[in-house]
Amino acid sequence: MAVYALTGFSLVSLLSFGYLSWDWMKPSLVADVATDPMEKSLPPAFARPPHIIFILTDDQGYHDVGYHGSDIQTPTLDRLAAEGVKLENYYIQPICTPSRSQLITGRYQIHTGLQHSIIRPRQPNCLPLDQVTLPQKLQEAGYSTHMVGKWHLGFYKKECLPTRRGFNTFLGSLTGNVDYYTYDNCDGPGICGYDLHEGEDVAWDQSGKYSTFLYAQRVSKILASHSPKEPIFIYVAFQAVHTPLQSPKEYIYRYRSMGNVARRKYAAMVTCMDEAVKNITWALKKYGYYDNSVIVFSTDNGGQTFSGGSNWPLRGRKGTYWEGGVRGIGFVHSPLIKHKRRTSWALVHITDWYPTLVSLGRGNLSNVPGLDGYNVWPAISEGKESPRTEILHNIDPLYNHAKYGSLEDGFGIWNTAVQASIRVGEWKLLTGDPGYSDWIPPQTLTNFPGSWWNLERLTDGLRKSVWLFNITADPYERYDLSDQRPDVVRTLLMRLVHYNRTAIPVRYPAENPRAHPDFNGGAWGPWASEDDVEEWEGGGEPLKSRNKKKKCKICKLRSFFRKLNTRLMSNRI
């Protein structure tokens, strides 16, 4: 008992004093920039469809931006956010594929069959082909569409590739995790391959170039070769700051005083990404796009705390349905915004970008019924009330069921062993196992993390399967009100029942050995032939390795020289 009391005191002390110096309700820690007198001479908003630049970062924690009080330097993001609209009630998904699928389709995971985990490299799975994507709708509206960066929405057949899903050009990786220099990705011991693609071809010649720089340079090249008189959509999905923790040495040197090595490398990667965004913004101005542009910045999920990320003061981390896993960094920067330099508390979800951006681009949404997203541009630009009042964070029937959950605990209407979470108004409900539930301060100590905060999870989390929080009053999820407000619990469980009735079956096929890069010239890429696809989708046996291709000598030589070039480039940097 004494130990628990001491632990509680330590947690409350940190939450109440030193680590809560950032005021949750304070609009900004960055001074507002004086109004630019040149704004009055800008052309009327939407005189023509705006250029849209959507920037998505990977695994960047909620705390890891300057204007949230971070010790990491992000001057570009701070300035763009201060001059635009900060979204401080903005939600994403807890892991990679779900956020990307909901951005691209405007639909919840339960409506695309991707409600469980991520799409893995060897799975015959991808974003459902019957979904009309965001870039496809913008193409219909006359946009030139380009993607740079991480796809992670499946590639087992060519129809799944970005260039077949609405993008005119693509430079990036298809899987979820590659080396920043060599672009190699291993999906298990000995299952490794190269993953950088130009269009539908393997971009062997780009090996050795740091991906954050490479992607920013490609955006500049696209802008330089396009006419600002014609609308353009560029989706920039940075690999940063996902593991592996790699950065040019000069960026790491800036954080040499940080005792925690992972945090030091992670901070360097964030600052490097910030400079890449600066270069993209500069290119927009240099080539004449900026005055008619909309820049959207978003993270894809919460930070991974054991890899340097921080979601402080929020609870939880990447892969969880606590606020630290699903509340994102988000802002919009544009000369077209009517009421700039402010913080918005309008409820916004990543699915909302689909109808919002298609509407901005004067696209037609009438032929894509059933979207889960809303057009939130009036809320962002004019400060109007958000049309969104609730968010289904997810329902995952395949995730490990909570030991102490039951239908009885769910009033006979919902099995609380099932992992699910929903936000309705100011209330948030979680059932099943929401994931790692600690509050983790920024990793600044040499031997961080310690162990004192783990008692909260051990004493509270393991014997529960239902949590209820008033997120408006308690954004840190410290006070579970499920016992005090069973009426609210029942109401939110009914909403889960409602959504679950609309869910389609989960798409999560077994991994297939045919996907091994050794059978595909040493690179990750489409591996299923038309006959194979028909056999698999028709319910036949899993694809055999009868069509294995031996790795040719020229492929081995190519791999050797690629690795040699990478080593030389690394030594040079």
Side-chain angles (χ1 to χ4, degrees), residues 241-391:
V241 288
H242 197 290
T243 53
L245 299 179
Q246 297 172 304
S247 173
K249 292 180 180 179
E250 60 268 27
Y251 291 89
I252 298 177
Y253 185 76
R254 300 184 190 184
Y255 297 99
R256 60 192 178 278
S257 62
M258 282 189 176
N260 185 279
V261 176
R263 181 69 173 171
R264 186 189 312 159
K265 293 180 179 179
Y266 174 92
M269 295 167 69
V270 173
T271 296
C272 188
M273 176 273 296
D274 181 85
E275 291 196 9
V277 174
K278 177 182 179 180
N279 292 337
I280 291 173
T281 308
W282 179 83
L284 287 170
K285 294 179 178 179
K286 177 182 178 181
Y287 298 114
Y289 296 86
Y290 177 77
D291 288 347
N292 190 42
S293 68
V294 174
I295 302 172
V296 180
F297 181 90
S298 171
T299 49
D300 71 335
N301 46 246
Q304 188 58 276
T305 52
F306 55 75
S307 297
S310 175
N311 305 302
W312 185 261
L314 303 179
R315 185 177 187 176
R317 66 188 185 195
K318 173 184 178 178
T320 77
Y321 288 95
W322 305 105
E323 291 292 283
V326 297
R327 189 185 284 256
I329 300 173
F331 65 79
V332 180
H333 177 95
S334 172
L336 306 179
I337 295 175
K338 291 184 178 180
H339 302 308
K340 308 178 183 65
R341 298 175 176 84
R342 63 184 182 86
T343 296
S344 170
W345 295 93
L347 188 61
V348 179
H349 184 249
I350 195 167
T351 53
D352 297 331
W353 296 121
Y354 185 112
T356 300
L357 299 182
V358 172
S359 297
L360 282 178
R362 300 179 182 176
N364 180 15
L365 290 169
S366 63
N367 57 352
V368 281
L371 292 178
D372 294 307
Y374 295 85
N375 180 1
V376 292
W377 184 253
I380 293 171
S381 178
E382 303 173 43
K384 294 184 177 180
E385 185 176 352
S386 173
R388 176 176 290 281
T389 59
E390 63 184 51
I391 296 172

Side-chain angles (χ1 to χ4, degrees), residues 204 521 552-563:
W204 299 103
C552 59
K553 293 183 178 180
I554 188 66
C555 297
K556 293 181 179 179
L557 286 172
R558 182 185 296 157
S559 178
F560 169 78
F561 284 113
R562 175 167 51 84
K563 292 178 180 178

Side-chain angles (χ1 to χ4, degrees), residues 54-348:
F54 196 102
I55 300 173
L56 187 72
T57 59
D58 200 339
D59 286 8
Q60 183 179 359
Y62 183 83
H63 182 69
D64 299 328
V65 66
Y67 66 85
H68 279 176
S70 178
D71 53 349
I72 298 176
Q73 301 167 21
T74 57
T76 301
L77 300 185
D78 296 344
R79 178 180 57 80
L80 292 176
E83 296 174 357
V85 176
K86 300 171 187 172
L87 306 177
E88 292 298 342
N89 203 8
Y90 174 56
Y91 286 87
I92 48 184
Q93 296 305 112
I95 49 178
C96 302
T97 296
S99 280
R100 295 160 203 276
S101 69
Q102 297 193 49
L103 165 66
I104 292 294
T105 67
R107 288 180 165 82
Y108 291 140
Q109 295 164 254
I110 63 166
H111 296 146
T112 60
L114 300 175
Q115 54 266 58
H116 180 67
S117 191
I118 60 173
I119 295 178
R120 303 192 179 278
R122 288 176 286 163
Q123 283 184 313
N125 194 15
C126 72
L127 188 71
L129 300 179
D130 61 350
Q131 295 291 325
V132 180
T133 67
L134 170 61
Q136 286 173 332
K137 294 305 297 180
L138 290 174
Q139 278 185 336
E140 291 177 5
Y143 276 75
S144 175
T145 59
H146 307 268
M147 180 180 173
V148 180
K150 173 179 169 179
W151 177 238
H152 208 185
L153 289 174
F155 58 87
Y156 78 103
K157 57 182 180 179
K158 287 189 174 181
E159 288 75 13
C160 301
L161 297 176
T163 47
R164 308 288 181 100
R165 304 311 305 271
F167 291 104
N168 297 123
T169 69
F170 169 67
L171 173 68
S173 60
L174 299 175
T175 62
N177 179 22
V178 301
D179 186 282
Y180 281 75
Y181 291 97
T182 68
Y183 299 97
D184 290 325
N185 175 29
C186 294
D187 189 41
I191 308 174
C192 303
Y194 184 80
D195 183 18
L196 184 65
H197 294 75
E198 174 89 57
E200 298 183 6
D201 298 321
V202 182
W204 299 103
D205 59 320
Q206 301 292 347
S207 178
K209 301 176 182 178
Y210 188 66
S211 72
T212 304
F213 293 155
L214 176 66
Y215 294 155
Q217 290 167 0
R218 174 50 60 95
V219 174
S220 296
K221 184 177 180 180
I222 292 171
L223 294 172
S225 61
H226 186 78
S227 170
K229 295 181 180 180
E230 300 297 329
I232 191 170
F233 169 60
I234 305 180
Y235 171 36
V236 188
F238 282 115
Q239 175 188 352
V241 288
H242 197 290
T243 53
L245 299 179
Q246 297 172 304
S247 173
K249 292 180 180 179
E250 60 268 27
Y251 291 89
I252 298 177
Y253 185 76
R254 300 184 190 184
Y255 297 99
R256 60 192 178 278
S257 62
M258 282 189 176
N260 185 279
V261 176
R263 181 69 173 171
R264 186 189 312 159
K265 293 180 179 179
Y266 174 92
M269 295 167 69
V270 173
T271 296
C272 188
M273 176 273 296
D274 181 85
E275 291 196 9
V277 174
K278 177 182 179 180
N279 292 337
I280 291 173
T281 308
W282 179 83
L284 287 170
K285 294 179 178 179
K286 177 182 178 181
Y287 298 114
Y289 296 86
Y290 177 77
D291 288 347
N292 190 42
S293 68
V294 174
I295 302 172
V296 180
F297 181 90
S298 171
T299 49
D300 71 335
N301 46 246
Q304 188 58 276
T305 52
F306 55 75
S307 297
S310 175
N311 305 302
W312 185 261
L314 303 179
R315 185 177 187 176
R317 66 188 185 195
K318 173 184 178 178
T320 77
Y321 288 95
W322 305 105
E323 291 292 283
V326 297
R327 189 185 284 256
I329 300 173
F331 65 79
V332 180
H333 177 95
S334 172
L336 306 179
I337 295 175
K338 291 184 178 180
H339 302 308
K340 308 178 183 65
R341 298 175 176 84
R342 63 184 182 86
T343 296
S344 170
W345 295 93
L347 188 61
V348 179

Side-chain angles (χ1 to χ4, degrees), residues 520-541:
N520 297 282
W524 292 102
W527 48 268
S529 67
E530 291 299 326
D531 292 339
D532 291 334
V533 171
E534 290 179 6
E535 178 183 349
W536 183 84
E537 293 182 347
E541 292 297 317

Side-chain angles (χ1 to χ4, degrees), residues 320-567:
T320 77
Y321 288 95
W322 305 105
E323 291 292 283
V326 297
R327 189 185 284 256
I329 300 173
F331 65 79
V332 180
H333 177 95
S334 172
L336 306 179
I337 295 175
K338 291 184 178 180
H339 302 308
K340 308 178 183 65
R341 298 175 176 84
R342 63 184 182 86
T343 296
S344 170
W345 295 93
L347 188 61
V348 179
H349 184 249
I350 195 167
T351 53
D352 297 331
W353 296 121
Y354 185 112
T356 300
L357 299 182
V358 172
S359 297
L360 282 178
R362 300 179 182 176
N364 180 15
L365 290 169
S366 63
N367 57 352
V368 281
L371 292 178
D372 294 307
Y374 295 85
N375 180 1
V376 292
W377 184 253
I380 293 171
S381 178
E382 303 173 43
K384 294 184 177 180
E385 185 176 352
S386 173
R388 176 176 290 281
T389 59
E390 63 184 51
I391 296 172
L392 176 68
H393 293 302
N394 196 25
I395 300 171
D396 186 348
L398 298 189
Y399 194 81
N400 296 334
H401 282 200
K403 182 178 180 180
Y404 295 95
S406 67
L407 189 62
E408 181 181 357
D409 289 342
F411 301 99
I413 59 176
W414 182 263
N415 183 359
T416 63
V418 175
Q419 186 191 63
S421 182
I422 189 170
R423 164 90 179 262
V424 178
E426 60 188 10
W427 295 102
K428 177 181 177 181
L429 179 78
L430 304 99
T431 69
D433 179 3
Y436 192 83
S437 64
D438 298 341
W439 295 269
I440 303 177
Q443 301 92 314
T444 57
L445 303 178
T446 302
N447 295 320
F448 186 89
S451 59
W452 57 264
W453 53 84
N454 290 332
L455 288 176
E456 182 278 332
R457 188 184 188 210
L458 294 174
T459 58
D460 176 58
L462 293 183
R463 294 182 177 274
K464 286 184 64 63
S465 63
V466 178
W467 294 261
L468 178 71
F469 300 96
N470 183 318
I471 291 299
T472 303
D474 178 26
Y476 314 126
E477 297 172 298
R478 285 185 281 168
Y479 307 107
D480 177 18
L481 301 176
S482 58
D483 291 336
Q484 293 95 314
R485 296 299 305 270
D487 57 322
V488 178
V489 172
R490 179 187 285 271
T491 298
L492 268 62
L493 288 176
M494 287 300 298
R495 293 304 296 160
L496 286 178
V497 171
H498 162 75
Y499 280 112
N500 200 43
R501 288 171 179 161
T502 70
I504 68 173
V506 179
R507 299 165 56 95
Y508 198 73
E511 294 180 338
N512 195 295
R514 179 67 185 82
H516 198 302
D518 281 359
F519 308 147
N520 297 282
W524 292 102
W527 48 268
S529 67
E530 291 299 326
D531 292 339
D532 291 334
V533 171
E534 290 179 6
E535 178 183 349
W536 183 84
E537 293 182 347
E541 292 297 317
L543 296 173
K544 308 298 182 182
S545 58
R546 60 185 182 276
N547 294 327
K548 291 182 181 179
K549 298 179 182 178
K550 293 184 178 180
K551 205 170 183 181
C552 59
K553 293 183 178 180
I554 188 66
C555 297
K556 293 181 179 179
L557 286 172
R558 182 185 296 157
S559 178
F560 169 78
F561 284 113
R562 175 167 51 84
K563 292 178 180 178
L564 177 62
N565 178 56
T566 298
R567 290 179 182 176

